[in-house]
Amino acid sequence: MIPRHRHLLIGLIVLTLLGAAGCTENPAEETTVQEVVTVAITPAARHTNLAVVTCASTINAAAFEISEAFSSQAEADLLIQLGEPNPMPGFAAQIAVEELAIVIHRANPAGSLTLDQVQQLFSGTIQNWEELGGAGGTVQVWSLLEADETRQVFIQQVLNNGLLATNTSLAPSPEIMLSSIAGNHFSIGYLPKSWATQELVSILPGVRFPVLVLAESQPQGPAADLVSCLQGELGQQVLTAFFPN
């Protein structure tokens, strides 16, 4: 039998140890805050999205948030758009080349147009397809929104900064441009070539422009890795499916 005073001693030792354990704070669990890189893609450049997602999946050091916005509305670390903005930001990297396409319905007999005829159609000088040897029908001009960089390139390089016809209809997205022209044999519009479909006739005026990744300054870390991937073998393999030139 253990003497009573030894029982008390053991009890005190146990209480002391338990008290000490209770006073010891558990070390705080270490949490890793992952860097977030925001990427904005304009509607006209949407076909770059798959390449961005593919490249982002290979970069574990950051989380990538991808959104769609016109360049004038975008607030992101990286912006992908067609053509060169004015003014140019501190950083620009080309990842592909796009081409402008004038599009009309495949059933329209006037399937071959000169640049001069295109200018007259979009300006409203020619108002009926009959004037070009097509079936009689009022020309319906379609244009993208002013915020769309494709429209800016079209106005500058095809219309020589001229005005669109007063009855021009506005398409808020390339998809609506496609569906609108596909639904009206007498329509004419323009799109990045990567958006054109077999349902429409594409007339190429020879206007090419770069697909750019833009940033306020030289990207660092994961953002730089993303740009490098888009310009590298993996990114180019995906982009070539949409931008073969």
Side-chain angles (χ1 to χ4, degrees):
M1 176 177 290
I2 302 174
R4 187 170 182 277
H5 68 276
R6 291 190 60 190
H7 274 296
L8 293 175
L9 180 60
I10 293 172
L12 288 173
I13 293 173
V14 170
L15 289 174
T16 301
L17 291 174
L18 289 174
C23 293
T24 303
E25 295 184 2
N26 293 326
E29 294 183 4
E30 293 185 4
T31 57
T32 302
V33 179
Q34 195 173 35
E35 181 179 348
V36 176
V37 177
T38 54
V39 182
I41 302 174
T42 64
R46 189 184 303 159
H47 289 144
T48 63
N49 186 280
L50 180 58
V52 172
V53 171
T54 301
C55 282
S57 68
T58 68
I59 303 170
N60 298 321
F64 290 84
E65 293 183 356
I66 305 169
S67 62
E68 183 170 293
F70 290 115
S71 57
S72 59
Q73 303 167 346
E75 294 183 3
D77 299 313
L78 300 174
L79 168 67
I80 300 179
Q81 74 162 56
L82 308 181
E84 298 179 358
N86 185 20
M88 287 285 285
F91 172 84
Q94 181 172 322
I95 58 174
V97 175
E98 181 60 282
E99 187 169 5
L100 184 71
I102 311 300
V103 287
I104 62 175
H105 197 283
R106 186 162 292 281
N108 191 329
S112 178
L113 300 172
T114 66
L115 179 58
D116 183 61
Q117 290 171 334
V118 168
Q119 292 170 338
Q120 292 181 71
L121 286 163
F122 277 94
S123 66
T125 304
I126 295 177
Q127 299 185 2
N128 196 297
W129 288 104
E130 195 172 24
E131 299 177 54
L132 298 176
T138 302
V139 176
Q140 179 58 63
V141 175
W142 280 89
S143 173
L144 294 167
L145 300 179
E146 289 187 17
D148 194 296
E149 66 269 29
T150 316
R151 170 170 169 155
Q152 297 161 15
V153 170
F154 175 79
I155 295 294
Q156 293 168 4
Q157 299 196 40
V158 176
L159 292 191
N160 297 320
N161 292 315
L163 298 176
L164 290 165
T166 55
N167 66 337
T168 297
S169 298
L170 296 180
S173 68
E175 295 100 324
I176 293 179
M177 175 75 82
L178 284 172
S179 62
S180 299
I181 296 176
N184 185 340
H185 294 185
F186 305 116
S187 294
I188 185 170
Y190 58 88
L191 287 166
K193 183 183 174 184
S194 63
W195 281 92
T197 66
Q198 296 297 320
E199 196 173 359
L200 307 177
V201 173
S202 296
I203 301 161
L204 306 177
V207 177
R208 293 160 61 88
F209 40 101
V211 182
L212 299 175
V213 182
L214 306 171
E216 289 301 319
S217 59
Q218 180 76 35
Q220 303 294 326
D225 293 339
L226 181 68
V227 176
S228 178
C229 178
L230 291 171
Q231 291 184 312
E233 183 177 356
L234 177 60
Q236 291 299 300
Q237 183 178 1
V238 180
L239 288 166
T240 301
F242 301 99
F243 310 98
N245 297 320

